[in-house]
Amino acid sequence: MDMKRIVYLISLGLSSLVLNSCEDFLDKEVDINLTEDKIFSDVHYAPGFLNNIYNDLLTGFNRYDGAMLACGCDEAKNSYSGSLVQIFNNGAVNSSLNPDEIWDKMYGGIRKTNIFLEKLNTTIKETNSIPEKDRPRMKGEAFFLRAMFHFELVKRYGRIPYVDKVLTVENAGNVPQITFDEMVERIVNDCDTSFVYLSESNDDANKGRAVKASAMALKSRILLYAASPLNNTGNDLSKWDRAAQAALLLLNMRGATIGLESKYEYVFNTPFSKEVLLATQPVNTNEFEKANFPLSYGGTGLTNPTQNLVDAFDTKWGKPITEDLNYNSSKPYENRDDRFYSVILYNGAVFKSRQVETYIGGKDGLLSASTATKTGYYLKKFVDSSVDLDKGTTVRKPWIIFRFAEAYLNYAEALNEAAGPVQQVYDAVYELRKRNYVITSRARYPAGLSQSQMRERLKKERQVELAFEEHRFWDLRRWKDAEDILNKPAMGMRITLNQADTTFSYQNFEVENRIFNSRFYWYPIPRKEVLKGYVKQNPGWE
Amino acid sequence: MIPYMKLFCFLLFIALAGLNPLPAQEISGKTITGIVNDTGGKPVPDVNVSVLDEFVQTFTDQEGRFSIVVSAGKTLYFSKQGYTAVKINLLSGSDRLVVTLEPADKEKIIDVSYGTRTQSELTHAISSISAGSLEKTPVPNLSNAIVGRTTGLTVIKSTGDEPGYDNSAIYVRGIGTFNSYVSPLILVDNVERNFAQFDPMEIESFSVLKDAAATVQYGIRGANGVINVKTKRGFTGKSEINFIAQTGFQAPSTLPEYLGSAEYVTLYNKALRNDGLPLPVDSKFDPSMYYGTGDPFRYPDVDWYGDFLKPAAPQSQYKLSLRGGTTAIRYFVFMGATSQDGIYKLTDVNPQYNTNPKYSRYNLRSNVDVDVTKTLQVFVDLAARVENRHVPNSSAASIFSTLSQLPPNAMPVNNRDSSIAGTSVYRNNPLGMISKTGYRDNYQRIMLGNVGATQKLDFLLKGLSANLMVGLDGTNYYSLGRSQTYAVYQEYTSGDSTEYLKYGDNSDISINTEKFDDGFAYMLTTLGGLSYSLNTGASSLSADLNYMQSKYFQNGDNLAYSNQGISGRATYGFRKKYFTEFGFAYNGSEDFRKGNRFGFFPAVSAAWIVSNESFLQGNSTISFLKVRGSYGKVGNGKLGLERFPFEQKYYSGGGYIFGSGFGNTDGSYEGRIPNPNIRWEESLNANIGIDLEMKNILNFSIDFFNNYRDNIITTSTNITPGIIGQLLPYENNGTVVNRGFEAMISHNHQKKNWGYSIQGNVSYACNKILSMQEVSGLPDYQYKQGKSASAIWGLEAIGFFRDEEDIANSPYQSFEAVQPGDVKFKDQNNDNIIDNQDQIVIGDQIPQWNFGLLGAVNYKGFDLHFVLSGILGRTVLLTNNSVWVLQNNSKVTDIAYNAWEKGVNEDNATYPRLTTLNNKNNYNNSTLWARSGNYLKVTNLEIGYSLPGKWLTKINVKEVRLFLNTYNLMSFDSISEYHLDAEVPDAGVSGYPIMRVYNTGISVKF
């Protein structure tokens, strides 16, 4: 083989290799990847990063397969027998099976707030991707959201790590698990910081963002929780006092943009109502109606209020049904507190221009189909009767996280504990109750209640006013009432039609037995996290 | 469409029947005549006789005679498949020639990656399916036809057989990773393509490349095994025309059988009593209403399957192929039309449109080889395929889920006033789903093209050649449809008045068609290289060097999938006894960081042909014996995970509604934490094999393998605190070992009038996870490490609770309050609580064992072929409506009679107490619902009769064969008592059934 041939051969071999052999062939034809720097130097994406964090706020319309958290306590029963929410009622929750597991989601939200706060001082500032005038408000929002996510965690798990920096795989294990009280201080700190920076109120374009009152509402709620028996075993009155002060500050923010609606039902169908201090985004949906319309109206009829809740509504004379001689147990749904008609769909209630039939054999009668009512009631609150499920129409449906009414209840409760049933306690409750009564004087509690009588009244007031708003579930825990109340059966009403005179007869019955184990005052920390060794399990769940 | 196709095929058939080979052209020169004999002196018909460098040719007749006009000085060329071609120079000599053709070297040529090797020099583990046998299966989808036919292949249906949507899942040597991407690389004519919708008649060979020596040429894509399909090509010889027409029908292999209204109501009431619930006041739940002549609208007893499913649906296939060529041009042309109907009834009750599912496919192919010069060969392969699928707008899954749910007494099909019936609970009516939700047509247009050339470079180096090929595939797909909604009505009687409650909405069929999934895809592949072979008698050398690049783009996906690399191999043989090969690939994928994209994958292999040693030479029984071994590294760069895991990821979107205008604002968010150094999975594969041929007795082949897959993608999710708040980076941190063996044995026996052949094969593969970043300190049984990557986890059921005392004395079962008759589970960790920590491995999704038995018998004109296939070591969980009776408002099969019942059935119950509620305890994944998923199927059976040859020669026809065949004729398994198919237990319950095909046809060859 001569030299010429060899050269030819080698060049041929090489040319086939270099045909297209530079590595560029494997490059993307267009680099569509967004990096951290691109995001935070962009005038749309940088503020968009904060907007996105709001998605991590929890919404209570559909916690797990259409069930509300209310079905996990004495407010309601979920009619779908396979619903996971049932395991709150039968004691089956464990550290690897908890339908309300929010650990990852909340710490995900917290990471986002920490990234944003970090970038606010670096890339965003350097590139001016967010105008200087908007930055303080956004800083306030980020601090508020971080406090909110930590609050959602701490009310469930108690002792947890508090995260205020962006973690890496290497250092994530170094964040200590701190006590409930330490958590409260950190959260209150974040609330205070956010309060400084947040807007008083937002312009039209920014409606729905956190405002100063949102931060104050969170502070009021966490201080109330911190003062409550579960977390205040020594009944330190200064804790109650601190809670009362926070609630009072919030009450004093009342004004043109903040205050109570004139009617209870308006709160839940007025977008950006002045009573709402923070809510999730008003998405257009009919999922909640699909889940909760009674079956013959095209829904699934999932949330069935219990008799326990129905009995908590006063009569229209402002008295508990057990004390009011005007109350007629053979016509149990007549002459009740106005709120009853906004919350409960009962037998005979007019819904979509016909009467709801929950009597046995009725169109939506008790146990007439697999998800027909199990208690004799359907849910009215939040349900929008204008929705036509057959046609698929939708409505705006924000989930209310804080509303102004809570301030009156927080204040009254904390003050009653700190100072006894003083006049301001009566006044606060009256302010809240009076919109429910045609004759407003009936809204006033009778004078001369003892501290504990007042306490019982206020507990019931919260149960009724805040029904289905994810308060009862936590209130029973912080009051340490859960062992007593959640070990009682859920009750329902069996209604029979007397064919002869088309009257109804009513009979209370046990829907199901319920179990509450004292370890369930706190959720178990997810097992998958405990195994990693950086957090200790809560007592009773080890 | 099909009738036209039939007509077309018929006309073509007529035209071709009269077609004769071109007569020798009249040109100046003298006429040479002669006869061609084989070495035994017998005349050889159909020998191509051509003049080199001229387009003149003829063929010998039945007596071996030929006559051709040639000008002086030219060379005549005699060739026929199976014989060594002969050249005769006509410089001098007589005008009458006697030519003797010697049989060609019988050494079989094996397709290896990017090339061929002779059988003896092959050092790889490759198993193959011969083309002809695939033609004997009547299923249109080829992925269903390959089952049982060769070793190293696991083929299991993943869904039922809805026309056009019936792919099987394919694994080579089981699976070797716990990640989701476990499919082999599938190539057709060297380009990554799916073969499933090819016609079997297009296929020449189907090889499974198993060990590292065979797959190393694909480097980063080779670790899951490779399937290498080659289409048919032309040959030098008289045209072969083959026409096949076949038609048949498909019927569900099995369908669940449900109880009627009286039995349903009785059992339903029993379940209510178990639940402590009051019995319904409605007389619909009184079984006696169904004994006699109850009002059928008030007390229906509907057989939903019977009312909506036909017993069988037709299918048909027409195919025509033309194959032949001259020394200069060789061709293979194919066209085929296939159609399959669905089994729904009442698809035409809506006068506006018909929703009968229909799959039609048209395949067209033309493979042409041209010798442009003595040293340059060019090929042009063009294929086109049209796939049309017509379906109702309600999916098969939703229709079957409804059929399997609706109790017989739920409602009539139509109400008294002929409206479509429904209830508040059952808002779907199959009648509405089939006839009133609209329809959809899915269209796919596929063009496949390979164009290439091979240039011999003997002038540079004897035995050297260069080749270049470009493959271009284009797919266009879209769906057109119209939709409609329907309302159902529930009769509601109170007192004397009857009213209808309405659920849903009646809408008209949409006026405009809607277009969905509108898109296209293309694949551009370039392949070029050099190959060299040298044979000096004592030693031989074959070597290849190849460059490959490919880009696949599909709209909807943002970025193209690209592959690039070089590969090569050199095989050295010494004295036809010792062969050794080194192969390598250096290739990469776009999924990894620049500078970290390419991997080097080497493999070495060797073979020793023991039978060529002197001590075995001339041995009367052992005619061939080879021992092979290989070891090498291959990769898996397709991860089935997020793409580009090396780069920091932020995304736009995820905004939020702010402002009184309810406008959605901008959003952006962080994605998974990147790992810049992420790489592909690597597998170290070892293989040892033996090939043995015993003259006239048997062929036998066995392979043992050990694949060690390392660098499997994991995340540290089990270790890193969740408070980090983000998805954790992918890491190369897992290890799986996959071991097994394959064996194949075959035997042929052919006498004058009759003969038979039989082949049996067995494949075993068993994998084990060695590491995958799990926390320490768990009890052994909780680790995935040490278990199979396809393990099924669940609780161990140990019976049913006898009574309250039994419950009190047993560990607390945490899923739901239990009562007597509920399932009792074993407390694996003895913590007195039954929860998910007590889950153990209760089976495996992928079978360890695959078997096949193929046979053929011929006697005179009759022939019979069969394929049996079977699997072992697979578990299925029975969790569908036909087994979980009364769950989710569903109906009841007779399995309910085995339910635990106090005082009746306490000791021999095999089913927990009946319940109407969704019981979280009993319906946990557990051994109670696990069944053996093993089966043995009569996959394929064909009986044929060929008309005697003497009748045919007169009409110029070579062969006429009538045949009758079936697919999936019988199944032997352990769940037939539930009337479910062991291969896909959910088929016919929550999806389309598995079908059995009966088919008959005629094949004509000219």
Side-chain angles (χ1 to χ4, degrees), chain B residues 543-656:
Chain B
D544 312 282
L545 187 64
N546 286 296
Y547 170 79
M548 196 286 287
Q549 67 175 43
S550 70
K551 220 172 232 326
Y552 174 77
F553 183 82
Q554 184 173 23
N555 77 321
D557 265 340
N558 289 319
L559 296 163
Y561 293 77
S562 312
N563 281 288
Q564 186 188 30
I566 56 168
S567 60
R569 112 197 94 195
T571 315
Y572 176 74
F574 185 65
R575 301 203 168 178
K576 299 210 162 154
K577 291 182 204 160
Y578 313 108
F579 292 91
T580 173
E581 181 178 289
F582 171 76
F584 78 97
Y586 179 73
N587 60 2
S589 142
E590 83 294 342
D591 249 345
F592 308 106
R593 174 173 59 81
K594 203 164 184 165
N596 198 35
R597 281 174 180 161
F598 282 81
F600 181 70
F601 303 92
V604 291
S605 52
W608 175 32
I609 301 184
V610 188
S611 52
N612 284 353
E613 296 286 355
S614 53
F615 56 86
L616 273 181
Q617 211 117 55
N619 186 297
S620 55
T621 48
I622 296 177
S623 52
F624 184 76
L625 174 62
K626 175 156 77 170
V627 181
R628 289 176 281 111
S630 73
Y631 186 69
K633 183 164 90 172
V634 278
N636 177 21
K638 250 191 187 174
L639 307 173
L641 308 167
E642 290 165 30
R643 297 186 70 191
F644 314 116
F646 62 88
E647 62 188 10
Q648 187 183 49
K649 285 197 182 124
Y650 271 76
Y651 300 99
S652 65
Y656 201 77

Side-chain angles (χ1 to χ4, degrees), chain A residues 367-439:
Chain A
L367 302 171
S368 60
S370 64
T371 62
T373 181
K374 301 260 192 292
T375 63
Y377 302 102
Y378 292 97
L379 182 65
K380 174 108 182 264
K381 191 166 174 174
F382 307 125
V383 170
D384 193 321
S385 65
S386 74
V387 169
D388 183 339
L389 288 177
D390 290 347
K391 297 248 188 296
T393 61
T394 56
V395 286
R396 301 250 166 224
K397 195 157 291 276
W399 171 257
I400 298 168
I401 296 168
F402 294 110
R403 65 182 174 98
F404 198 64
E406 187 191 343
Y408 292 95
L409 294 165
N410 290 1
Y411 180 64
E413 181 184 343
L415 191 62
N416 181 49
E417 297 299 336
V422 293
Q423 190 56 37
Q424 291 97 313
V425 176
Y426 282 90
D427 290 348
V429 180
Y430 171 70
E431 276 302 307
L432 179 63
R433 270 169 67 94
K434 68 181 182 191
R435 63 179 166 180
N436 309 320
Y437 294 87
V438 186
I439 302 164

